[in-house]
Amino acid sequence: MRTFINEEKFSELTGSAAFITLVGHLNPDGDAIGSLSGMYHYLSARGKQAAIVLNNPLPDNFGFLTAGLPIFYYDDAPEKCIEAVRRADLIICQDMSAPSRAGDISAEIENASCPKILIDHHLNPAVEWFDTVISDTEVSSASELVLLTLLKQEDVVQDVQKLPLECATALLTGILTDTNNFSNSVFPTTYDAAKLLLQRGADRDFIYREVFCSFSEQRMRLMGYLLSENMRYMPEYGTAYFTLSKNDKKNFSFLRGDSEGFVNLPLAIKNVSLTALFTEDDGFVKVSLRSKGDVDVNEFSHRYCNGGGHKNAAGGRVYLPFEEIPSYFEKCIGEFFAR
Ligand code: 5GP
Ligand code: MN
């Protein structure tokens, strides 16, 4: 779905706000923090006060984007998050389709009386909660959409050199991560956006090293273990999946973010067009889904995993005992592909 970018409304709402609170989805990823950090640096350069509110911290490999920013996590400091939402003259939600995706702070956002802007690239944005919506599913990432929005602002007018370097770095990080280093969700405009950000001075090699090459030895061994011992392959359905238990996490000294990217790996098998990773958590099982081509994991997640996302990348939660996951998932896959 393509939606026109109402840059005038964005300009008007940001122009009249002194303190702006930026919000992203729970379990933030590179696009959530990239788009938020990019917006933060733009607003700061424009003389605005801003803060970022997230449900929980990011993996350490995104530390280069968060260092020194006023960023609050509900898991660590709920009162600071509530204060940031309550004192806001404007709330901007990015990389999330509805306030509920923000996690524990969502009710505060829904109840806030200040204006709200949504900048997002997911299907079916909950437009009723927002004063203006900048939504487009035919872009790589929320970061790309933030760039397109900022380029249309009066103080930038299509001149990327007017954006702060930190903004360009953050937005390119969001594009790199949401496209898995330009391997999926890439549109012609994505390369245009990347080109502009590189011209502004964003260092692709630095970002690549920080994001994709800064894991521990144990993470590498966990990946090998999951692929050789734990991956289940269902050739008749072009599906492969694995499960990651609390015990596996303990055995491999698991750190937040260590399983990032694992779900993509079985897509490298020629016949595979749907992959899943199930991670045991407290009281639920976190689901990550990926697909190739026309296989729609957003629909799969809606139907079977209480979630959503995009056609080729979605997530959700299943409330079943962990050991029941394989039989549940294999039953769902049989049903899904029977249609
Ligand atoms: P991931 O597998 O990286 O956690 O998520 C992939 C995509 O699915 C992301 O775009 C994310 O926003 C979306 N997603 C992940 N978990 C959920 C969920 O529980 N509900 C919904 N609606 N979307 C999700
Ligand atoms: Mn995204």
Side-chain angles (χ1 to χ4, degrees):
M1 185 183 67
R2 308 226 62 164
T3 308
F4 137 94
I5 297 180
N6 190 340
E7 68 274 11
E8 276 153 25
K9 188 81 178 168
F10 177 89
S11 186
E12 178 196 317
L13 290 176
T14 49
S16 56
F19 187 88
I20 302 174
T21 295
L22 308 173
V23 184
H25 60 80
L26 95 167
N27 301 326
D29 59 6
D31 186 31
I33 193 57
S35 66
L36 294 169
S37 166
M39 182 62 84
Y40 175 87
H41 287 293
Y42 166 76
L43 293 171
S44 287
R46 229 174 108 176
K48 301 290 171 187
Q49 255 195 298
I52 296 175
V53 167
L54 289 168
N55 189 74
N56 50 296
L58 291 117
D60 286 347
N61 56 340
F62 292 109
F64 71 106
L65 292 182
T66 56
L69 298 193
I71 174 160
F72 306 114
Y73 303 103
Y74 198 92
D75 277 359
D76 296 344
E79 68 295 336
K80 288 236 163 54
C81 295
I82 292 169
E83 190 197 329
V85 170
R86 290 191 181 165
R87 71 173 281 210
D89 304 313
L90 171 68
I91 294 172
I92 309 180
C93 293
Q94 296 181 183
D95 197 30
M96 49 191 263
S97 53
S100 59
R101 292 280 298 136
D104 290 330
I105 193 72
S106 48
E108 284 290 334
I109 296 168
E110 289 169 1
N111 292 331
S113 55
C114 68
K116 300 178 197 98
I117 297 176
L118 177 68
I119 305 182
D120 185 46
H121 68 129
H122 292 89
L123 297 159
N124 309 318
V127 296
E128 64 276 17
W129 292 104
F130 298 92
D131 295 82
T132 192
V133 172
I134 295 173
S135 156
D136 190 344
T137 58
E138 293 182 34
V139 291
S140 62
S141 53
S143 296
E144 185 180 331
L145 208 43
V146 166
L147 176 66
L148 296 175
T149 305
L150 298 185
L151 286 173
K152 292 188 174 185
Q153 295 307 295
E154 259 175 29
D155 51 348
V156 183
V157 281
Q158 303 299 335
D159 180 1
V160 75
Q161 300 301 333
K162 299 228 168 79
L163 292 176
L165 176 58
E166 296 88 341
C167 171
T169 301
L171 298 181
L172 188 58
T173 306
I175 293 175
L176 271 181
T177 53
D178 250 24
T179 61
N180 192 21
N181 201 25
F182 295 101
S183 67
N184 55 258
S185 323
V186 175
F187 297 85
T189 51
T190 309
Y191 292 109
D192 293 336
K195 173 183 158 194
L196 289 174
L197 296 168
L198 291 169
Q199 284 173 336
R200 175 60 191 91
D203 184 342
R204 197 205 85 100
D205 295 347
F206 165 77
I207 298 169
Y208 184 82
R209 277 197 307 275
E210 291 293 313
V211 174
F212 295 109
C213 305
S214 56
F215 294 108
S216 66
E217 175 200 341
Q218 283 298 83
R219 188 259 189 185
M220 207 69 194
R221 297 196 185 281
L222 171 62
M223 187 163 87
Y225 162 78
L226 290 178
L227 289 173
S228 81
E229 308 297 323
N230 228 349
M231 189 182 81
R232 298 179 203 222
Y233 179 37
M234 303 166 71
E236 66 280 29
Y237 296 113
T239 295
Y241 71 100
F242 23 53
T243 54
L244 175 58
S245 68
K246 285 186 177 176
N247 207 31
D248 295 334
K249 291 193 212 174
K250 195 166 117 256
N251 290 340
F252 289 91
S253 312
F254 187 88
L255 296 172
R256 186 173 40 231
D258 272 358
S259 58
E260 204 58 48
F262 285 179
V263 65
N264 295 302
L265 297 171
L267 282 181
I269 301 170
K270 187 169 186 174
N271 169 49
V272 166
S273 56
L274 190 154
T275 60
L277 171 66
F278 295 90
T279 307
E280 186 178 16
D281 211 313
D282 293 325
F284 65 92
V285 178
K286 159 94 182 88
V287 189
S288 267
L289 296 153
R290 299 291 184 271
S291 63
K292 289 197 275 224
D294 283 341
V295 177
D296 187 344
V297 285
N298 173 54
E299 188 195 336
F300 186 92
S301 190
H302 269 290
R303 282 179 60 181
Y304 303 110
C305 304
N306 307 297
H310 312 275
K311 186 172 159 198
N312 295 133
R317 289 181 176 196
V318 173
Y319 301 90
L320 282 175
F322 193 60
E323 55 283 3
E324 290 178 23
I325 290 295
S327 58
Y328 175 71
F329 180 64
E330 292 184 17
K331 182 181 81 67
C332 297
I333 283 290
E335 198 180 296
F336 185 68
F337 285 112
R339 293 165 311 126

